[in-house]
Every structure is written in C-alpha cells, then in structure tokens.
Amino acid sequence: MEELEKDIVVFTDEENNEIELEVVDYFDYDGEEYAVMIDPATEDEEEQDLFVFKIEIDGEYENFVPADEDKMDALSQLVEARLDCDKENCEGCSGCNIE
C-alpha cells in the first residue's frame, strides 16, 4: 500500500517557536474553506486535539487563520460528523457533506 504524503503546516507562535500541525480534512462551510488539523506528535488518537482554521487566499498563498468564535459550535458539530462518517459504508447523509 502506497503511503500518501502528509499535508503539514508550520506556524510560529508569539515566542518564535515553530508548531507543526497536520491537515486531516478540508471542507466548505457557509461559503468559506476550512481545514481541520491535528498535532502529528500526539500518538494516542483518543487524546488528539483538533484545530479548525479558516483558509484565506492571498494571491498564490493560503493563510490559515483561527475560525471565528461565533461559528465554532456549528464547525465543531460538522467536523465531528465528518470524522465519524465512514464514506465507504455510508447509509445516508448525517450532514457530513462528504463528496
């Protein structure tokens, strides 16, 4: 089985430390594109924190900015549905919008 290349984004915090996050999903919501990311260094899937970023296009660059707080409840529910959905064995749409 061929291993796919991981989509890693590197951020720099206020103290100039680099933080690597792995993109695990992209989706559209309310006319905007979002990315779901995890810390690839966390080995236990049960302990994984999920991060949702809005993607803003600036010319040929993608900027990942924190999602708006007022949309986080809806985004969290959508992300949970998408991650719980088994595309191959889906028996009906629960709102995950997987294509």
Side-chain angles (χ1 to χ4, degrees):
M1 178 181 225
E2 182 180 325
E3 187 171 325
L4 299 176
E5 184 176 325
K6 295 180 180 182
D7 195 359
I8 302 291
V9 179
V10 179
F11 295 92
T12 304
D13 69 10
E14 303 85 31
E15 298 170 1
N16 228 19
N17 299 311
E18 287 190 350
I19 302 166
E20 291 186 357
L21 296 177
E22 177 184 348
V23 178
V24 294
D25 192 18
Y26 290 99
F27 66 95
D28 291 323
Y29 175 76
D30 201 24
E32 298 175 310
E33 187 177 10
Y34 291 87
V36 180
M37 299 184 191
I38 61 169
D39 179 351
T42 305
E43 294 182 19
D44 185 0
E45 282 187 30
E46 299 288 323
E47 299 295 319
Q48 283 284 357
D49 288 327
L50 297 175
F51 304 93
V52 179
F53 289 89
K54 183 168 79 170
I55 301 172
E56 296 179 348
I57 305 299
D58 182 16
E60 62 184 63
Y61 298 101
E62 292 180 332
N63 294 317
F64 294 84
V65 297
D68 298 331
E69 281 296 317
D70 61 331
K71 293 184 179 180
M72 280 309 293
D73 285 338
L75 291 170
S76 295
Q77 290 175 9
L78 181 58
V79 167
E80 186 174 322
R82 290 179 64 82
L83 294 177
D84 287 344
C85 186
D86 180 359
K87 182 177 181 179
E88 294 174 7
N89 298 312
C90 188
E91 294 178 11
C93 186
S94 65
C96 66
N97 298 318
I98 290 180
E99 295 145 7

